[in-house]
Amino acid sequence: PTLQDTRTRHFSKALRDFVSVCLNKDPMQRPTAAKLLEHKFFQLCKKNKDLVKHLLDGQPTLVDRTQLLKDKEDARKLAKSGSKGNLLELKDEEASRQAYVHGVSRWDFDVAQLKLDAEAEAIAEAAAA
């Protein structure tokens, strides 16, 4: 993927190169964060305020973008299921996704321990019900 100039937006050569390097499909070919900070794009920026002004100005917050993606995904799932009243199933699926993200985000890939944690959580939920 690359940035394309439009009638209303023009991207510098340095920015286009920076984006293409970041979006390389092969993760082994992508530079490290430290290497990216040495990229010409950052060298040409006069101040950090320039980055915020030109790159982030007018963009929705991360929270807003995350909610928008979640809303789109929920709508897609509802359309796929063909049922508009199937919110319980969506909530179960979301809880499962969050549990997965929680397990992966800890960088603890001990599958046996993850299964034990999930079982203990299920028992606790059953006892609470």
Short mmCIF file of all heavy atoms in Angstrom, two decimals, residues 70-103:
data_model
loop_
_atom_site.label_atom_id
_atom_site.label_comp_id
_atom_site.label_asym_id
_atom_site.label_seq_id
_atom_site.Cartn_x
_atom_site.Cartn_y
_atom_site.Cartn_z
N LYS A 70 -15.57 -1.38 15.98
CA LYS A 70 -16.40 -2.34 16.70
C LYS A 70 -17.84 -2.28 16.20
O LYS A 70 -18.47 -3.32 15.98
CB LYS A 70 -16.36 -2.07 18.20
CG LYS A 70 -17.13 -3.08 19.01
CD LYS A 70 -17.14 -2.71 20.48
CE LYS A 70 -17.95 -3.65 21.32
NZ LYS A 70 -19.27 -3.96 20.82
N ASP A 71 -18.37 -1.07 16.00
CA ASP A 71 -19.74 -0.92 15.50
C ASP A 71 -19.89 -1.54 14.11
O ASP A 71 -20.88 -2.23 13.83
CB ASP A 71 -20.15 0.55 15.46
CG ASP A 71 -20.28 1.16 16.85
OD1 ASP A 71 -20.32 0.40 17.84
OD2 ASP A 71 -20.33 2.41 16.93
N LYS A 72 -18.91 -1.32 13.26
CA LYS A 72 -18.95 -1.90 11.92
C LYS A 72 -18.91 -3.43 11.98
O LYS A 72 -19.62 -4.11 11.25
CB LYS A 72 -17.78 -1.39 11.07
CG LYS A 72 -17.96 0.02 10.59
CD LYS A 72 -16.78 0.43 9.72
CE LYS A 72 -16.94 1.84 9.21
NZ LYS A 72 -15.79 2.25 8.37
N GLU A 73 -18.06 -3.95 12.86
CA GLU A 73 -17.95 -5.40 13.00
C GLU A 73 -19.26 -5.99 13.53
O GLU A 73 -19.73 -7.02 13.06
CB GLU A 73 -16.79 -5.76 13.93
CG GLU A 73 -16.56 -7.23 14.11
CD GLU A 73 -16.12 -7.96 12.84
OE1 GLU A 73 -15.72 -7.32 11.86
OE2 GLU A 73 -16.20 -9.19 12.84
N ASP A 74 -19.87 -5.32 14.51
CA ASP A 74 -21.15 -5.79 15.05
C ASP A 74 -22.23 -5.78 13.96
O ASP A 74 -23.01 -6.73 13.85
CB ASP A 74 -21.60 -4.91 16.22
CG ASP A 74 -20.76 -5.14 17.48
OD1 ASP A 74 -19.99 -6.12 17.51
OD2 ASP A 74 -20.88 -4.33 18.41
N ALA A 75 -22.26 -4.73 13.16
CA ALA A 75 -23.24 -4.64 12.07
C ALA A 75 -23.02 -5.75 11.05
O ALA A 75 -23.96 -6.36 10.56
CB ALA A 75 -23.16 -3.28 11.40
N ARG A 76 -21.74 -6.02 10.77
CA ARG A 76 -21.42 -7.09 9.81
C ARG A 76 -21.87 -8.44 10.36
O ARG A 76 -22.45 -9.26 9.64
CB ARG A 76 -19.91 -7.12 9.54
CG ARG A 76 -19.50 -8.16 8.49
CD ARG A 76 -18.02 -8.39 8.47
NE ARG A 76 -17.50 -8.97 9.68
CZ ARG A 76 -17.63 -10.26 10.02
NH1 ARG A 76 -18.28 -11.10 9.25
NH2 ARG A 76 -17.10 -10.71 11.14
N LYS A 77 -21.65 -8.67 11.63
CA LYS A 77 -22.06 -9.94 12.23
C LYS A 77 -23.57 -10.08 12.24
O LYS A 77 -24.09 -11.18 11.99
CB LYS A 77 -21.51 -10.04 13.66
CG LYS A 77 -20.02 -10.25 13.71
CD LYS A 77 -19.52 -10.22 15.14
CE LYS A 77 -18.01 -10.31 15.20
NZ LYS A 77 -17.52 -10.15 16.58
N LEU A 78 -24.26 -9.00 12.53
CA LEU A 78 -25.72 -9.06 12.52
C LEU A 78 -26.24 -9.35 11.12
O LEU A 78 -27.16 -10.14 10.94
CB LEU A 78 -26.32 -7.75 13.04
CG LEU A 78 -26.35 -7.58 14.55
CD1 LEU A 78 -26.82 -6.18 14.91
CD2 LEU A 78 -27.23 -8.62 15.20
N ALA A 79 -25.66 -8.69 10.13
CA ALA A 79 -26.08 -8.92 8.75
C ALA A 79 -25.79 -10.35 8.33
O ALA A 79 -26.60 -10.99 7.65
CB ALA A 79 -25.36 -7.94 7.82
N LYS A 80 -24.65 -10.87 8.76
CA LYS A 80 -24.28 -12.23 8.41
C LYS A 80 -25.22 -13.25 9.06
O LYS A 80 -25.59 -14.23 8.45
CB LYS A 80 -22.84 -12.50 8.85
CG LYS A 80 -22.30 -13.84 8.44
CD LYS A 80 -20.85 -13.99 8.86
CE LYS A 80 -20.31 -15.35 8.50
NZ LYS A 80 -18.94 -15.53 8.95
N SER A 81 -25.60 -12.98 10.30
CA SER A 81 -26.48 -13.93 11.00
C SER A 81 -27.92 -13.83 10.50
O SER A 81 -28.70 -14.74 10.71
CB SER A 81 -26.44 -13.69 12.51
OG SER A 81 -27.09 -12.48 12.83
N GLY A 82 -28.26 -12.72 9.87
CA GLY A 82 -29.62 -12.54 9.34
C GLY A 82 -30.64 -12.25 10.42
O GLY A 82 -31.83 -12.24 10.19
N SER A 83 -30.16 -11.99 11.64
CA SER A 83 -31.07 -11.73 12.75
C SER A 83 -30.67 -10.44 13.42
O SER A 83 -29.55 -10.26 13.82
CB SER A 83 -31.00 -12.88 13.76
OG SER A 83 -31.70 -12.52 14.93
N LYS A 84 -31.63 -9.53 13.54
CA LYS A 84 -31.34 -8.25 14.17
C LYS A 84 -31.46 -8.34 15.69
O LYS A 84 -31.01 -7.47 16.40
CB LYS A 84 -32.26 -7.16 13.63
CG LYS A 84 -31.99 -6.87 12.18
CD LYS A 84 -32.81 -5.72 11.69
CE LYS A 84 -32.47 -5.45 10.24
NZ LYS A 84 -33.22 -4.35 9.70
N GLY A 85 -32.05 -9.38 16.22
CA GLY A 85 -32.26 -9.48 17.65
C GLY A 85 -31.29 -10.43 18.33
O GLY A 85 -31.54 -10.85 19.45
N ASN A 86 -30.22 -10.76 17.70
CA ASN A 86 -29.31 -11.76 18.23
C ASN A 86 -28.15 -11.11 18.99
O ASN A 86 -27.00 -11.46 18.82
CB ASN A 86 -28.77 -12.62 17.08
CG ASN A 86 -28.35 -13.98 17.55
OD1 ASN A 86 -28.33 -14.24 18.74
ND2 ASN A 86 -27.99 -14.82 16.61
N LEU A 87 -28.46 -10.15 19.89
CA LEU A 87 -27.43 -9.42 20.60
C LEU A 87 -26.71 -10.28 21.64
O LEU A 87 -25.54 -10.08 21.91
CB LEU A 87 -28.03 -8.18 21.28
CG LEU A 87 -28.49 -7.10 20.32
CD1 LEU A 87 -29.12 -5.95 21.10
CD2 LEU A 87 -27.35 -6.59 19.47
N LEU A 88 -27.41 -11.26 22.21
CA LEU A 88 -26.79 -12.13 23.21
C LEU A 88 -25.63 -12.90 22.59
O LEU A 88 -24.55 -13.01 23.18
CB LEU A 88 -27.83 -13.10 23.79
CG LEU A 88 -27.33 -13.99 24.91
CD1 LEU A 88 -26.81 -13.17 26.08
CD2 LEU A 88 -28.45 -14.91 25.38
N GLU A 89 -25.85 -13.39 21.39
CA GLU A 89 -24.79 -14.12 20.69
C GLU A 89 -23.60 -13.20 20.42
O GLU A 89 -22.45 -13.59 20.56
CB GLU A 89 -25.32 -14.70 19.39
CG GLU A 89 -24.33 -15.58 18.66
CD GLU A 89 -24.91 -16.18 17.40
OE1 GLU A 89 -26.03 -16.70 17.45
OE2 GLU A 89 -24.22 -16.10 16.37
N LEU A 90 -23.89 -11.95 20.02
CA LEU A 90 -22.82 -10.98 19.78
C LEU A 90 -22.03 -10.70 21.05
O LEU A 90 -20.81 -10.59 21.03
CB LEU A 90 -23.38 -9.67 19.23
CG LEU A 90 -23.73 -9.63 17.76
CD1 LEU A 90 -24.31 -8.29 17.39
CD2 LEU A 90 -22.50 -9.90 16.92
N LYS A 91 -22.74 -10.58 22.17
CA LYS A 91 -22.06 -10.32 23.44
C LYS A 91 -21.17 -11.49 23.83
O LYS A 91 -20.06 -11.31 24.32
CB LYS A 91 -23.09 -10.02 24.54
CG LYS A 91 -23.73 -8.67 24.39
CD LYS A 91 -24.72 -8.40 25.50
CE LYS A 91 -25.38 -7.05 25.30
NZ LYS A 91 -26.34 -6.75 26.35
N ASP A 92 -21.65 -12.72 23.62
CA ASP A 92 -20.84 -13.90 23.91
C ASP A 92 -19.59 -13.93 23.04
O ASP A 92 -18.49 -14.23 23.51
CB ASP A 92 -21.64 -15.18 23.69
CG ASP A 92 -22.68 -15.42 24.78
OD1 ASP A 92 -22.60 -14.76 25.83
OD2 ASP A 92 -23.57 -16.26 24.55
N GLU A 93 -19.76 -13.59 21.78
CA GLU A 93 -18.64 -13.58 20.85
C GLU A 93 -17.63 -12.50 21.25
O GLU A 93 -16.42 -12.72 21.22
CB GLU A 93 -19.14 -13.34 19.42
CG GLU A 93 -18.13 -13.67 18.37
CD GLU A 93 -18.73 -13.66 16.98
OE1 GLU A 93 -19.89 -14.06 16.80
OE2 GLU A 93 -18.02 -13.22 16.07
N GLU A 94 -18.15 -11.34 21.66
CA GLU A 94 -17.28 -10.24 22.09
C GLU A 94 -16.53 -10.63 23.36
O GLU A 94 -15.33 -10.36 23.50
CB GLU A 94 -18.08 -8.96 22.32
CG GLU A 94 -17.26 -7.79 22.81
CD GLU A 94 -16.18 -7.33 21.86
OE1 GLU A 94 -16.25 -7.65 20.64
OE2 GLU A 94 -15.25 -6.65 22.32
N ALA A 95 -17.20 -11.28 24.30
CA ALA A 95 -16.54 -11.73 25.54
C ALA A 95 -15.44 -12.73 25.21
O ALA A 95 -14.35 -12.68 25.80
CB ALA A 95 -17.56 -12.35 26.48
N SER A 96 -15.69 -13.61 24.26
CA SER A 96 -14.69 -14.59 23.85
C SER A 96 -13.49 -13.88 23.22
O SER A 96 -12.33 -14.21 23.51
CB SER A 96 -15.30 -15.57 22.85
OG SER A 96 -14.31 -16.41 22.32
N ARG A 97 -13.77 -12.89 22.39
CA ARG A 97 -12.69 -12.13 21.74
C ARG A 97 -11.85 -11.39 22.78
O ARG A 97 -10.63 -11.39 22.72
CB ARG A 97 -13.26 -11.14 20.73
CG ARG A 97 -12.18 -10.44 19.89
CD ARG A 97 -12.75 -9.30 19.09
NE ARG A 97 -13.17 -8.21 19.93
CZ ARG A 97 -12.33 -7.33 20.52
NH1 ARG A 97 -11.04 -7.45 20.36
NH2 ARG A 97 -12.79 -6.36 21.26
N GLN A 98 -12.53 -10.78 23.76
CA GLN A 98 -11.80 -10.05 24.80
C GLN A 98 -10.94 -10.99 25.64
O GLN A 98 -9.83 -10.64 26.03
CB GLN A 98 -12.78 -9.28 25.68
CG GLN A 98 -13.34 -8.06 24.99
CD GLN A 98 -14.34 -7.30 25.85
OE1 GLN A 98 -14.68 -7.74 26.93
NE2 GLN A 98 -14.78 -6.16 25.36
N ALA A 99 -11.45 -12.18 25.94
CA ALA A 99 -10.67 -13.15 26.69
C ALA A 99 -9.43 -13.56 25.89
O ALA A 99 -8.33 -13.69 26.45
CB ALA A 99 -11.52 -14.38 27.02
N TYR A 100 -9.60 -13.73 24.60
CA TYR A 100 -8.47 -14.07 23.74
C TYR A 100 -7.44 -12.94 23.75
O TYR A 100 -6.24 -13.18 23.94
CB TYR A 100 -8.95 -14.34 22.31
CG TYR A 100 -7.82 -14.46 21.32
CD1 TYR A 100 -7.08 -15.64 21.24
CD2 TYR A 100 -7.49 -13.41 20.48
CE1 TYR A 100 -6.04 -15.75 20.34
CE2 TYR A 100 -6.44 -13.52 19.59
CZ TYR A 100 -5.73 -14.69 19.52
OH TYR A 100 -4.69 -14.79 18.64
N VAL A 101 -7.90 -11.70 23.57
CA VAL A 101 -7.00 -10.56 23.56
C VAL A 101 -6.28 -10.45 24.90
O VAL A 101 -5.08 -10.21 24.95
CB VAL A 101 -7.76 -9.26 23.22
CG1 VAL A 101 -6.91 -8.03 23.47
CG2 VAL A 101 -8.23 -9.28 21.78
N HIS A 102 -7.01 -10.66 25.99
CA HIS A 102 -6.40 -10.60 27.31
C HIS A 102 -5.29 -11.64 27.45
O HIS A 102 -4.20 -11.33 27.93
CB HIS A 102 -7.46 -10.81 28.40
CG HIS A 102 -6.89 -10.90 29.77
ND1 HIS A 102 -6.40 -9.81 30.44
CD2 HIS A 102 -6.71 -11.95 30.60
CE1 HIS A 102 -5.94 -10.18 31.61
NE2 HIS A 102 -6.13 -11.48 31.74
N GLY A 103 -5.55 -12.84 27.01
CA GLY A 103 -4.55 -13.90 27.09
C GLY A 103 -3.33 -13.60 26.25
O GLY A 103 -2.20 -13.78 26.68
#
